[in-house]
Amino acid sequence: MKLCRFSSGKEEKKGILENGKIKEVIGSFFTGFTVTTNEYDPDKVKLLPPVLPSKVVCVGRNYAEHAKELGNEVPEEPLIFLKPSTAVIGPEDGIIYPSASHEVHFEAELGVVIGKRCKAVTPDQAKNYILGFTCVNDVTARDIQKKENKFTRAKSFDTFCPIGPVIQTELNPLSVEVVSRLNGIIKQNGNTKNMIHNVYQLISFISNVMTLLPGDVIATGTPSGVGPMNVGDTIEVEVDGIGILKNYVKQ
């Protein structure tokens, strides 16, 4: 099932994307909903971020080849950091190139959407706390990251966390392709089977640090091939079975 949020006119709505149509639902993705008879053409509505997280928990260096391309060692434990909710944007939205940076990179990632309050769970229990999966672009001001050797400022600019286009509730996160395309050219082509710490291990590790709330998103790390974007570029993140998250780089 593909869950989405969208706007039709000035109204924000929720729906299920099915057979090329969006069927409007009433209720909550987290506590239950009812499917209505209202249908919308996806090309005639504005898709919104499929979820509004209280926080986005990101994982660094979770693919060995990506760590290698940046000259970093592979951490023994998951390397986690946060993106603020104010960084979140949806499909077709603009990524604003900040004046403070001269090297902004794309990072295609599988995102995990938490379905219910999650605290101190084991990897075996983790599956029960997942609502579904989405695409994430962990946009990064690489020059700032290198200069400060920190993640927060480099990762937290407004618009630096595109999420979407939908939440796919039926997906095997242990083996799925993660691709990025810059202006139509493939730049990253990885598979989650090459993660150092898999999705269930990440949920367990993070939930033993902080409580995860319904709607929180875990960005599970990016495969090798990251690179710079410039104003005017189009960047796409595609996760097999979910769809394509497309955004445009703007001044």
Side-chain angles (χ1 to χ4, degrees):
M1 185 185 301
K2 292 183 175 181
L3 309 175
C4 65
R5 295 175 61 250
F6 64 99
S7 62
S8 177
K10 295 183 179 180
E11 291 187 83
E12 294 186 4
K13 302 176 183 290
K14 294 183 287 291
I16 298 171
L17 181 60
E18 186 176 82
N19 298 323
K21 295 288 186 181
I22 296 176
K23 296 182 178 180
E24 184 181 356
V25 304
I26 296 175
S28 167
F29 290 153
F30 306 102
T31 58
F33 58 81
T34 301
V35 181
T36 73
T37 57
N38 299 330
E39 291 190 348
Y40 296 83
D41 183 340
D43 294 330
K44 295 182 179 180
V45 301
K46 164 64 177 167
L47 285 179
L48 304 172
V51 67
L52 296 175
S54 75
K55 56 186 172 291
V56 179
V57 186
C58 302
V59 183
R61 306 176 197 169
N62 199 29
Y63 292 78
E65 287 300 312
H66 171 59
K68 182 179 178 181
E69 73 179 346
L70 295 183
N72 295 316
E73 295 183 359
V74 175
E76 292 184 8
E77 293 183 310
L79 176 63
I80 62 173
F81 57 94
L82 297 175
K83 277 182 180 273
S85 60
T86 48
V88 172
I89 58 174
E92 305 284 338
D93 286 340
I95 298 168
I96 306 302
Y97 204 114
S99 59
S101 175
H102 302 286
E103 188 183 0
V104 175
H105 282 205
F106 54 84
E107 294 190 6
E109 310 200 6
L110 171 68
V112 182
V113 181
I114 298 299
K116 58 184 178 180
R117 187 180 179 91
C118 178
K119 176 64 178 174
V121 304
T122 67
D124 288 340
Q125 295 169 330
K127 184 180 295 186
N128 300 323
Y129 293 84
I130 297 172
L131 174 65
F133 303 90
T134 192
C135 304
V136 176
N137 189 346
D138 178 16
V139 180
T140 304
R142 192 72 70 201
D143 51 348
I144 293 175
Q145 183 185 19
K146 291 176 181 176
K147 179 175 67 175
E148 298 181 349
N149 198 28
K150 298 287 190 298
F151 290 89
T152 300
R153 186 161 76 107
K155 302 274 192 176
S156 297
F157 287 95
D158 289 354
T159 74
F160 267 30
C161 192
I163 296 176
V166 298
I167 300 168
Q168 170 61 271
T169 61
E170 300 169 10
L171 189 79
N172 174 16
L174 302 183
S175 182
V176 64
E177 291 186 356
V178 179
V179 174
S180 67
R181 284 183 291 269
L182 184 66
N183 300 323
I185 299 172
I186 292 177
K187 295 294 184 178
Q188 295 176 274
N189 191 355
N191 193 295
T192 58
K193 67 184 180 183
N194 296 317
M195 283 183 178
I196 297 165
H197 308 284
N198 70 39
V199 163
Y200 306 125
Q201 292 167 336
L202 292 175
I203 293 172
S204 176
F205 180 84
I206 294 166
S207 73
N208 277 277
V209 176
M210 66 188 79
T211 300
L212 295 167
L213 301 177
D216 283 350
V217 172
I218 299 174
T220 57
T222 194
S224 61
V226 301
M229 304 181 290
N230 295 298
V231 174
D233 285 346
T234 298
I235 182 67
E236 295 176 320
V237 174
E238 182 173 7
V239 178
D240 192 32
I242 297 175
I244 298 173
L245 171 64
K246 180 189 290 187
N247 296 95
Y248 309 99
V249 185
K250 298 182 177 181
Q251 194 73 53

